Amino acid sequence: MTDRAEKPRLAVFKFTSCSGCQLPFLNMETEILDLAESIEVAYFAMAGASQPGPYDLAFVEGGISCQEDARRIRKVREESRILVAIGNCAVYGGPQALRNFLPLEELKRAVYPQPELIHCFPTCQGIADYVSVDGFLNGCPVDHGHLQDYIVSVMLGKAPEVSTRSVCLECKMKENVCLIVAEGVACMGVLTGSGCGALCPSFDRGCYGCFGPSADPNLKSFANLCRELGLTEEEIHRKFRYIVNNAEAFREEAERHVPQPVES
Amino acid sequence: MVLQGQAGENAVVGRDAFDEILARLQERGYAVYGTVNEKGTGIFRPLGGAGELSLRCTGGTLPPKYLWYPPSETMFTYDRQSGALRSEIEPVKQAVFGIRPCDVHALLALDEVFLGGDYPDPYYRARREDLPLVVFNCVESGDTCFCSSMGTGPGLDHDYDLLITELDRPGRFLLEVGSGLGGELVRDLRAEVARDEDYQVKHRRLEDAAANARTTLETEDLPRLMSEGHGHPYWREISDKCFGCANCTSVCPTCYCADIFDETDFSLTETRRKRRWSWCFLMEFGAVHGGNFRERRIDRLRQFMQHKLNFSVGQYGRFHCVGCGRCIVWCPANIDIAQTGRTIRGDA
Amino acid sequence: MVKSEEDLRRGANPLSLRPVEILDVRRETPDVNTYTLRLVDGSRFRFRPGQFNMVSVIGIGESALSMSSDPEGTEALAEGVFQHTIRVVGNVTRALARLRAGDRFWIRGPYGNGWPLEQASGDLLIIAGGIGLAPLRPAIYRRLAGNPGRLEILYGARTPGDMPFRDEFPVWQEGGARLLLTADKADEGAEWPYRVGLVTALLDEVEVSPARGQVFICGPEGMMKSVVGALSKRGWPPEEIFVSLERRMECGQKTCGRCQIADVYVCQDGPVFSYAAVRDLLGVDL
């Protein structure tokens, strides 16, 4: 049962993103030696590996934001047997997908002194909008435990399973006191998939929804809760138009809470 | 008087006796857990001294269940090179100081689940067999407590090693010895003789606590009424609010559902077969090849409550709801199992 | 799990595993294999028709799978062998499909109650769909081995090519079974002298009468529901109809909670239930 075939070739690619989802690989301090023993890190720019394909398992960080991204992700797809989107940007488009909801030219002019030099798509999307994707690991950044499970599963020839647990369960296992119940904070943990270890609620900050919508998020009930807690429609809108703004469930919920134009 | 240290004995003691009892448990090698005031609620923690103990029950976040049924445990380890399986079941010595009657009833319910069949669960048994319980009777009901409805409190008269009831003057406690081990924990302790008046105070305080319960649920004929109420419109009403977050089940002292899964290290040298808590509220719980038996939130919510107030009676002859109220306290959507029971049976 | 005096004395860990060696892998259909197995310790694996094992490929996971062989057949008695017939649907079954003769995997069991063969003393009607024939095969062999009552087998699969045990069908017929086959669709150009359509369509041809027999059914739940419905209309009392249910299981010990349907645990109270016992559970959306 321990037939160890040739070491699988691993690749890590970056697209439009902050590079934060590559760090969990480098942070696997104790496991990294084991990892190097069982797999070949063939491409990982941040770690100095840049061998050509093909690759057995490619993790992709970052959204697709311009023509060059789109061309490159198609090439990565061709070269990779298993292609996995990691993190909010590769899965949903990332925080920068906020631009999807605003006119591009106006934004360029507001941000850059020479907007004519910027050549990008009007939207930033997850990679699945451009290529077929074999797996999705959410997070901002992705969880290193999820990454490890995924890699080990592939090595064992098993379809990886990603749990449908909510952030709430991570809070409960840490015996955090619920911020919604005790503090009246509109914490998004009830809508959000687990993986972060309830990082924000552990520091008394409501969940921002980094890991994206859970398996069956009750958005309507959450909006009602927000109203009961005194949030305005604009504030509810902003909760969903934030870090994970381009996941379908959050995107559509934001649209249901359109900020009213301020009368002048 | 001086306590002889025998089951059936009783006396009136002061809070200083708690220090002695705790010290004797620790001397005997038990890790002793009790509720400590923390984060504005009571949380079960390993106790250093008895002074840390909170005498007021706030329900807390997690029940002490994790001491005998941990959230995640390794059942055995498999060496992938040699093909050898290693199962290490070490007896665990833990004690709870200040467990409440509802949680003792929850423990007894889990005993039936894990130890009641032909093949007792050895992992549970290793944590359960040597588990001294110093029980605090409840002389007040919390807002969401309904133990008196479920027949699981506020007082306990069985399955304790020591039973402590606060009398009406602060710092005076009626101590009752329920077992030989309980006796050893108090032998030679100086104490006042318990008089009839002390017992009258105990009974009056427990009766008052029951009478003052602000949450109630009539259990007469409840399983049948819950079955008949399977299609009641109230299920829709609460499932529209429900987040499906599983907070309720994660704090339930009787929930026992689990996943069994394999975890392998990066070097592929060792696989650990693990068991961890799972809950009927999770989407993955009812998933099978080609479908899901409880895809809708209403089905998952109903499974939780029907199991507690109905199916458990068919399975084990007792409600797997002990009325601790934790699921009510920690529901971010304000869903209330007692209210649900009352509504389904037509009492509310 | 069936308890033996010895097991109880030892206080056996019901969740620990026993290794089995694969003696033979036989390809039944494109996605179904039959594994002939023997416990590595050489002891005979005892079970009742309709029971199941928790089968492990360690590292991949564990899956509830029925035994498919005659527990008291010649080979079982002489060499202690038994069989699992397994369709590839998930991680564990896919990993099993990669194994060959000489490889090992792990089991614990047997679990569950099995078919009530001792109760079925008169005629027996067996109705199977797809891979549902596998857990019924042990019951078929037990009936052929001794019972004088009539045995009728109704079997349907997606296509003729999806039917396991095809080369045994003539043996069953020679042994006295009346076998009625149907396929949802026949392969283009292939010779298929039997019916095309759902297994319920075969019910009109059944000769066993409700008054003097039992029915054992195993197949996809939708198929079982429609068969049970059709049998009820033909006058079969619910007490004489037995179905084998499938639910997700992690433990087989009534502790993981996964296989509960209302107050029933499929792993130990079943997997075989009389329709009378589960009629409400199957009808109601629990």
Side-chain angles (χ1 to χ4, degrees):
Chain A
M1 286 310 303
T2 51
D3 54 324
R4 290 165 91 179
E6 279 181 32
K7 287 184 184 182
R9 305 188 82 221
L10 178 94
V12 181
F13 294 99
K14 173 190 154 60
F15 287 76
T16 300
S17 58
C18 76
S19 303
C21 287
Q22 297 176 68
L23 288 177
F25 287 98
L26 302 176
N27 287 342
M28 292 181 196
E29 288 166 9
T30 49
E31 304 96 332
I32 199 96
L33 294 174
D34 285 342
L35 179 62
E37 213 170 84
S38 357
I39 62 180
E40 181 193 350
V41 181
Y43 189 96
F44 188 178
M46 200 186 251
S50 56
Q51 294 166 37
Y55 312 104
D56 294 298
L57 174 59
F59 291 105
V60 171
E61 173 205 77
I64 305 304
S65 162
C66 60
Q67 195 60 55
E68 171 58 14
D69 280 351
R71 185 196 62 76
R72 205 157 55 88
I73 191 67
R74 291 192 184 102
K75 180 164 179 287
V76 167
R77 171 71 276 186
E78 279 171 21
E79 293 181 332
S80 310
R81 188 166 62 86
I82 300 170
L83 180 66
V84 186
I86 57 167
N88 177 18
C89 299
V91 177
Y92 298 118
Q96 63 273 21
L98 280 170
R99 81 155 184 255
N100 302 4
F101 310 104
L102 295 161
L104 180 65
E105 293 311 314
E106 233 172 82
L107 278 175
K108 282 186 188 173
R109 280 197 301 278
V111 175
Y112 297 100
Q114 289 177 279
E116 67 279 8
L117 296 181
I118 305 298
H119 301 288
C120 65
F121 294 152
T123 65
C124 183
Q125 302 289 358
I127 61 173
D129 279 31
Y130 292 85
V131 293
S132 67
V133 177
D134 302 302
F136 298 89
L137 298 179
N138 294 342
C140 198
V142 67
D143 171 52
H144 96 281
H146 288 180
L147 280 174
Q148 182 170 341
D149 285 350
Y150 206 99
I151 295 170
V152 169
S153 292
V154 168
M155 289 194 291
L156 292 172
K158 160 180 164 184
E161 289 162 345
V162 180
S163 171
T164 59
R165 289 161 193 240
S166 65
V167 171
C168 294
L169 292 169
E170 299 189 310
C171 261
K172 284 291 169 289
M173 294 307 113
K174 294 175 98 169
E175 302 195 274
N176 288 341
V177 168
C178 178
L179 289 167
I180 295 179
V181 170
E183 308 288 339
V185 172
C187 171
M188 289 175 79
V190 290
L191 304 174
T192 304
S194 64
C196 62
L199 187 59
C200 296
S202 300
F203 290 93
D204 293 332
R205 302 294 298 264
C207 170
Y208 297 99
C210 295
F211 273 66
S214 57
D216 183 20
N218 191 341
L219 300 151
K220 193 174 168 194
S221 180
F222 187 76
N224 288 337
L225 173 76
C226 289
R227 283 189 206 102
E228 282 166 27
L229 294 172
L231 272 69
T232 63
E233 287 302 289
E234 171 150 12
E235 285 166 329
I236 299 171
H237 172 83
R238 285 179 179 280
K239 278 196 112 44
F240 290 105
R241 198 134 290 177
Y242 198 52
I243 294 171
V244 178
N245 53 71
N246 203 28
E248 190 182 1
F250 288 0
R251 187 176 64 225
E252 290 179 356
E253 190 59 25
E255 281 156 18
R256 289 188 199 104
H257 307 276
V258 182
Q260 299 301 308
V262 182
E263 305 219 1
S264 52
Chain B
M1 66 169 284
V2 170
L3 282 156
Q4 302 298 306
Q6 279 158 9
E9 258 188 302
N10 54 59
V12 172
V13 297
R15 199 162 165 165
D16 52 338
F18 296 179
D19 291 306
E20 186 59 32
I21 294 166
L22 177 62
R24 289 190 191 183
L25 280 166
Q26 287 166 335
E27 275 164 26
R28 283 165 172 74
Y30 293 101
V32 188
Y33 289 76
T35 2
V36 171
N37 274 331
E38 206 179 296
K39 305 180 187 177
T41 184
I43 295 185
F44 280 91
R45 294 283 188 222
L47 290 175
E52 298 166 13
L53 263 181
S54 160
L55 295 188
R56 177 169 297 243
C57 178
T58 54
T61 50
L62 288 186
K65 176 178 76 177
Y66 67 86
L67 297 175
W68 39 93
Y69 183 39
S72 173
E73 64 189 316
T74 298
M75 303 167 77
F76 55 79
T77 310
Y78 174 69
D79 183 321
R80 302 188 66 83
Q81 258 86 53
S82 70
L85 271 187
R86 196 175 70 242
S87 169
E88 282 164 15
I89 306 172
E90 293 285 327
V92 176
K93 286 187 80 162
Q94 300 173 133
V96 193
F97 200 119
I99 188 173
R100 301 286 168 167
C102 57
D103 282 339
V104 174
H105 279 274
L107 171 63
L108 299 175
L110 290 186
D111 286 351
E112 286 172 357
V113 171
F114 288 105
L115 306 177
D118 290 338
Y119 284 84
D121 185 286
Y123 305 95
Y124 181 87
R125 190 170 54 194
R127 293 168 171 273
R128 174 63 176 109
E129 263 182 346
D130 191 8
L131 179 73
L133 301 176
V134 179
V135 180
F136 283 171
N137 272 336
C138 289
V139 292
E140 290 173 20
S141 281
D143 285 339
T144 58
C145 295
F146 57 110
C147 58
S148 46
S149 296
M150 304 314 292
T152 57
L156 188 73
D157 54 18
H158 53 82
D159 289 285
Y160 58 83
D161 292 285
L162 291 173
L163 179 66
I164 294 171
T165 313
E166 191 176 11
L167 298 175
D168 45 2
R169 258 195 301 122
R172 286 186 88 238
F173 301 90
L174 179 64
L175 174 80
E176 295 169 79
V177 182
S179 71
L181 174 68
E184 283 177 37
L185 298 174
V186 297
R187 181 171 301 142
D188 299 333
L189 219 64
R190 297 211 143 273
E192 281 176 47
V193 174
R195 295 159 304 168
D196 286 350
E197 298 98 277
D198 296 315
Y199 271 91
Q200 283 160 17
V201 171
K202 170 189 165 180
H203 293 305
R204 179 173 49 73
R205 295 203 80 179
L206 293 179
E207 278 163 22
D208 286 353
N212 293 335
R214 291 175 287 281
T215 299
T216 57
L217 174 60
E218 175 57 57
T219 56
E220 176 77 38
D221 217 12
L222 184 59
R224 184 181 64 81
L225 294 167
M226 291 299 289
S227 286
E228 286 174 11
H230 192 79
H232 195 289
Y234 191 68
W235 293 116
R236 170 63 58 199
E237 195 180 310
I238 55 178
S239 74
D240 281 348
K241 294 202 295 181
C242 174
F243 291 115
C245 59
N247 271 319
C248 46
T249 45
S250 71
V251 297
C252 178
T254 67
C255 271
Y256 51 85
C257 289
D259 290 337
I260 292 175
F261 66 103
D262 288 356
E263 197 176 78
T264 303
D265 64 345
F266 259 142
S267 57
L268 306 189
T269 52
E270 197 176 84
T271 294
R272 287 168 299 282
R273 173 146 299 171
K274 300 180 93 169
R275 173 164 73 182
R276 66 171 174 186
W277 293 354
S278 185
W279 303 276
C280 53
F281 258 101
L282 302 183
M283 212 41 165
E284 67 209 38
F285 193 84
V288 287
H289 166 71
N292 192 318
F293 287 106
R294 295 188 200 95
E295 197 161 26
R296 301 180 306 166
R297 200 183 309 115
I298 190 171
D299 294 330
R300 301 197 295 278
L301 173 63
R302 193 157 43 190
Q303 168 65 22
F304 160 55
M305 293 198 178
Q306 287 281 19
H307 189 225
K308 301 299 168 187
L309 300 180
N310 177 4
F311 304 154
S312 55
V313 177
Q315 290 168 336
Y316 295 101
R318 69 160 88 207
F319 289 108
H320 277 197
C321 174
V322 294
C324 73
R326 290 184 181 94
C327 63
I328 307 174
V329 174
W330 298 116
C331 177
N334 286 319
I335 295 168
D336 179 333
I337 191 170
Q339 172 71 54
T340 305
R342 292 196 301 271
T343 306
I344 302 295
R345 65 175 298 138
D347 289 353
Chain C
M1 198 162 161
V2 180
K3 64 174 171 179
S4 73
E5 291 301 321
E6 194 202 355
D7 282 341
L8 284 178
R9 214 171 41 242
R10 281 203 317 250
N13 179 351
L15 297 158
S16 73
L17 309 177
R18 290 191 281 173
V20 293
E21 185 181 348
I22 301 176
L23 303 179
D24 179 59
V25 184
R26 180 196 150 95
R27 193 182 166 92
E28 300 277 358
T29 80
D31 60 354
V32 175
N33 292 315
T34 293
Y35 298 80
T36 304
L37 306 161
R38 189 164 53 202
L39 286 167
V40 169
D41 67 13
S43 64
R44 179 178 158 210
F45 181 72
R46 292 165 192 274
F47 65 96
R48 293 195 298 266
Q51 288 190 303
F52 64 93
N53 276 330
M54 296 302 294
V55 172
S56 275
V57 179
I58 303 178
I60 307 291
E62 207 171 34
S63 207
L65 297 165
S66 303
M67 279 68 79
S68 63
S69 57
D70 180 355
E72 289 162 62
T74 324
E75 283 192 311
L77 297 175
E79 293 159 51
V81 301
F82 65 103
Q83 291 177 321
H84 278 288
T85 299
I86 298 168
R87 185 155 79 98
V88 177
V89 293
N91 270 326
V92 173
T93 51
R94 202 175 303 119
L96 288 169
R98 291 195 289 263
L99 302 182
R100 298 288 167 259
D103 288 340
R104 291 178 178 188
F105 59 88
W106 302 75
I107 62 164
R108 56 189 173 93
Y111 292 101
N113 55 1
W115 300 106
L117 275 167
E118 60 294 338
Q119 193 181 327
S121 50
D123 295 344
L124 180 61
L125 173 60
I126 280 179
I127 306 177
I131 192 67
L133 187 57
L136 282 162
R137 182 167 165 251
I140 291 172
Y141 278 110
R142 281 296 87 218
R143 281 291 293 213
L144 292 175
N147 193 286
R150 197 194 284 251
L151 174 63
E152 278 186 308
I153 303 167
L154 273 52
Y155 181 47
R158 274 173 307 177
T159 71
D162 287 314
M163 293 181 168
F165 319 124
R166 266 165 303 174
D167 57 343
E168 297 173 36
F169 292 171
V171 181
W172 299 353
Q173 284 166 319
E174 282 159 27
R178 182 163 178 261
L179 183 64
L180 303 175
L181 301 175
T182 182
D184 296 354
K185 62 179 171 53
D187 299 329
E188 203 72 28
E191 191 180 331
W192 180 246
Y194 309 100
R195 271 194 182 249
V196 173
L198 297 177
V199 77
T200 37
L202 296 173
L203 289 173
D204 288 334
E205 299 173 33
V206 166
E207 290 173 0
V208 170
S209 76
R212 39 178 316 216
Q214 275 82 26
V215 198
F216 294 174
I217 312 170
C218 187
E221 200 154 305
M223 165 258 177
M224 292 199 288
K225 281 183 190 173
S226 55
V227 167
V228 158
L231 288 171
S232 300
K233 281 196 197 119
R234 287 168 165 79
W236 282 89
E239 295 77 18
E240 308 299 343
I241 302 174
F242 295 88
V243 294
S244 181
L245 298 183
E246 188 182 4
R247 285 294 184 277
R248 178 156 177 159
M249 291 172 193
E250 304 274 312
C251 73
Q253 281 278 104
K254 288 171 71 160
T255 61
C256 79
R258 286 293 180 94
C259 70
Q260 293 177 83
I261 314 174
D263 56 4
V264 153
Y265 281 94
V266 174
C267 67
Q268 284 198 6
D269 302 330
V272 177
F273 295 93
S274 82
Y275 177 52
V278 292
R279 181 171 35 185
D280 294 341
L281 312 181
L282 293 179
V284 180
D285 199 9
L286 284 173

